Amino acid sequence: MQVPSPSTREAASMYGTAVAVFLVILVAALQGSAPPKSPFPYRIPLDPEGTLELSWNVSYAQETVYFQLLVRELKAGVLFGMSDRGEMENADLVVLWTDGDSAYFGDAWSDQKGQVHLDSQQDYQLLRAQRTPEGLSLLFKRPFGTCDPEDYVIEDGTVHLVYGILEEPLRALETINTSGLQTGLQRVQLLKPNISIPALPADVRTMEIRAPDVLIPGQVTTYWCHITELPEGFSRHHIVMYEPIVTEGNEALVHHMEVFQCAAEFQSFPQFSGPCDSKMKPERLNYCRHVLAAWALGAKAFYYPEEAGLAFGGPGSSRFLRLEVHYHNPLKIKGRRDSSGIRLYYTATLRRFDAGILELGLVYTPVMAVPPQETAFVLSGYCTDKCTQLALPPSGIHIFASQLHTHLAGRKVVTVLARDGCEMEVVNRDDHYSPHFQEIRMLKKVVSVHPGDVLITSCTYNTEDRKLATVGGFGILEEMCVNYVHYYPRSQLELCKSAVDPGFLQKFFHLVNRFNSEEVCTCPQASVPEQFASVPWNSFSRQVLRALYGFAPISVHCNKSSAVRFQVPLPRLCRGRVQLGPCRGDALPASRCPGAGLQLPAPLCPESPTKKAGQRG
C-alpha cells in the first residue's frame, strides 16, 4: 500500500485501511454479523442540502451501532461523529480523507481548539466502501461504549451528530481544524427501542385537526387556540396512531401542538380561533384540558401498543376539541400563513385498555426560577405518594412512552420512580436533552406505577448566556420541566406536579434583601418575576435559592382532566428532603440507592389548608 510519508505513522495505526481514490472497492470484509437482512430502518439527512445521508441499525446483542453514510457529492473527504451538545470541538469523529493519490479512513477526535487528532484506539471499524449510483457509501460500526476517554458513550437519549466537509486534499490528518470547515449537526435517538410498529386495524380511519389559515403573529411566542367539533352522533372510538401535519415552509416556526378534548359537562363551546391569551378567548375554553395528542419539534408518528388505544367520542365524551399550536418566531416574521395540525388514526374496534396521558414535573409558575450564569442548575417536581394513593387504580398503571419537555435552557431531564423511600427504576432519562428535539419515545421496558409510589422529575438548566433570572412560565424564554407519560389503563389523574410554596419564597426575597447592600424589591405590589429581576446574584443568593428549592414546603397539584383537584392534603415538609434509605425486596441493589442522589419528601406535617394553585469518557 502506497502511503505518503507524512501520514505513515497515522496509516499504520488505522489497521492499514485505505480507500483507493474512492472507487468501487471492498476494503474490509464484513466482520461479525451485521444487522440481519441489512436494512437500515432509520434514516435522516445530515445537512440541509441532503448531500450527506445517514442510515443506521442497532445490534443490542453486540452492543454495536452499524452506520451507513452516503456522501452524494464527495470532494476531498468528510468528518462524521458525535459530541455533547453538537460542537465540533471535543468531538468523537471518524474521518475519510485523501491526499490526492490515496484515501484513508480513521477514528479521530478534536480538541478544545477544534484540532483533529488520530485516536490511538481505533473503535470505528470500516466494513465497506462502495460507489453507488447515488454517491459513495461507507459502512462502518462502533460499540456503544469503548472505555476510550476520547470516545463518546452512546446512550439511550438524544445524540448530537456532527459533520464536516473537506474541500481540498490534505497532507496529513492533523492539518485539519474544524473551525475552517463547512460543518453542521443533526439530533437523533440512535438507540431506538427494539419494538415493532403495531399493524393498523383494517377499519382504521383518519381525521385532521387543523387551525385553518392562521396568520402567524410577528412576535416571538404565540399559543394559538382553535375549537373544532366531532361529527354529530360520533360514537366511541380508539385513537391508535397520530402524526403531525406541518404546513410546508413553516417547519421552523411550529414548535409543538396539542389536541385537547373539552369537558363533557358542557353541552356546547363557542367557536374560537385566535391567541390563547386573547382577551376575546371564551372562558369556557379553560375546560378543554383532556389531552388526546401531543407533538413537539422532532417527533415522528406515534403508535399505541396493540392492547391499548386512546378513547374519544361516544356517551359521556364531549364532541368539542381544542387544538393548541405553539409558534416560535424569533425573527418576528410577518405575513406567514399556517394550517398545521395533527392527523388522528382511529378505529371503532375498541382495544382492551383505554390509554391516558399524565403530566409530571413542575407547575408552570414563576416561583420556580433559575439564576443567571448557571451551568447546571437543577429543579425537581414531585408527584407525591398522597396523590398516587388516591388517584391511581388499585392495580396501578403501566407507562409505555414518554415525552420530555423544557424550553431553551434545558440540558438534562430525568423521571424516576420511587417506592418506600427507594429508587426503583428510571422512567425516562436524557442526559443530552435538547429543546430542539422533543420526541415522544417508546420505553424499552414498560414501567408499572402503583398507588403510593412517588414520581420525581428533575430538569437541569444552563443559563450561562443570560443576565436575569429565568422564571417558570409559558414563554419560550421562560422555563418548563415536564414529562408527558403515556400509560394504560386510563385513570382520572391527568396532572401530578409541584412547586415551592409561594409564601415561603417571599422569605427568600426578604433574606436576600437583609444580607445584601443592594435593595431587593419585596414590596407586595411587585410580581415574582420583578422580584427575581432585582436579586443581586452572588454566591450567597444562589446558595440560598438552591437550598430553598431543596428544603422548602411544596404545593402539589393533583388534578383531574376537568382541572378539578383531587382533595388530597397538600404536603408541607417538616424536615425538607431526606436521602433514600436501603432498598427492600424486589428493589434495586442497596448500593444503588444511597448514591443515587434522589431526594424524597420527608414525613409530612399535619394537614394544611388546600391552596390555589454520555457525555464523553
Side-chain angles (χ1 to χ4, degrees), residues 288-466:
C288 303
R289 301 173 62 92
H290 174 61
V291 178
L292 289 184
W295 172 90
L297 189 69
K300 304 296 183 184
F302 180 80
Y303 292 82
Y304 281 87
E306 291 182 350
E307 64 270 28
L310 194 67
F312 77 132
S317 174
S318 175
R319 291 176 44 239
F320 294 89
L321 308 177
R322 175 169 67 92
L323 171 68
E324 182 175 297
V325 182
H326 173 199
Y327 296 108
H328 176 45
N329 186 7
L331 299 180
K332 300 182 180 180
I333 299 170
K334 297 181 179 180
R336 187 73 63 86
R337 295 205 171 261
D338 183 74
S339 297
S340 296
I342 290 179
R343 182 181 294 114
L344 306 177
Y345 290 71
Y346 62 96
T347 174
T349 307
L350 300 181
R351 295 180 169 183
R352 181 183 176 189
F353 296 111
D354 286 345
I357 302 173
L358 174 60
E359 187 175 340
L360 306 173
L362 289 173
V363 180
Y364 307 132
T365 170
V367 303
M368 305 301 296
V370 182
Q373 304 297 308
E374 291 283 349
T375 58
F377 194 90
V378 180
L379 295 177
S380 295
Y382 297 86
C383 178
T384 65
D385 54 348
K386 294 289 186 183
C387 182
T388 62
Q389 186 70 53
L390 181 65
L392 295 187
S395 59
I397 60 173
H398 310 289
I399 300 174
F400 61 88
S402 164
Q403 182 186 23
L404 307 175
H405 179 73
T406 76
H407 284 170
L408 301 181
R411 294 296 181 269
K412 298 181 182 182
V413 187
V414 59
T415 296
V416 296
L417 168 69
R419 184 176 300 145
D420 297 327
C422 176
E423 177 183 337
M424 299 297 292
E425 56 188 315
V426 174
V427 177
N428 193 8
R429 174 192 295 275
D430 194 340
D431 287 340
H432 294 87
Y433 170 85
S434 169
H436 304 292
F437 186 64
Q438 301 183 44
E439 294 182 304
I440 300 175
R441 291 177 179 167
M442 299 296 291
L443 303 184
K444 290 184 170 66
K445 174 182 172 294
V446 173
V447 176
S448 296
V449 184
H450 300 291
D453 286 350
V454 179
L455 291 160
I456 306 97
T457 299
S458 299
C459 295
T460 302
Y461 301 97
N462 182 294
T463 56
E464 288 181 291
D465 59 345
R466 302 191 181 187

Side-chain angles (χ1 to χ4, degrees), residues 169-183:
L170 305 167
R171 291 186 302 103
L173 178 70
E174 296 201 359
T175 63
I176 301 174
N177 191 296
T178 59
S179 62
L181 304 180
Q182 174 190 339
T183 61

Side-chain angles (χ1 to χ4, degrees), residues 29 44 73 90 177 195 226 282 307 372 404 440 464 477 481 499 557:
I44 57 165
E73 298 176 11
N90 295 314
N177 191 296
I195 301 173
H226 174 75
E307 64 270 28
L404 307 175
I440 300 175
E464 288 181 291
L477 295 179
C481 179
H557 290 216

Side-chain angles (χ1 to χ4, degrees), residues 485-506:
V485 294
H486 297 248
Y487 72 94
Y488 64 87
R490 179 189 168 193
S491 71
Q492 293 187 45
L493 182 62
E494 186 156 296
L495 182 150
C496 190
K497 305 166 78 173
S498 75
V500 70
D501 180 87
F504 206 91
L505 180 65
Q506 293 304 313

Side-chain angles (χ1 to χ4, degrees), residues 68-71 128-132 135-139:
Q68 181 172 271
L69 181 63
L70 175 63
V71 188
R128 186 174 64 232
Q130 184 176 9
R131 176 73 71 179
T132 72
L136 180 70
S137 175
L138 299 173
L139 175 64

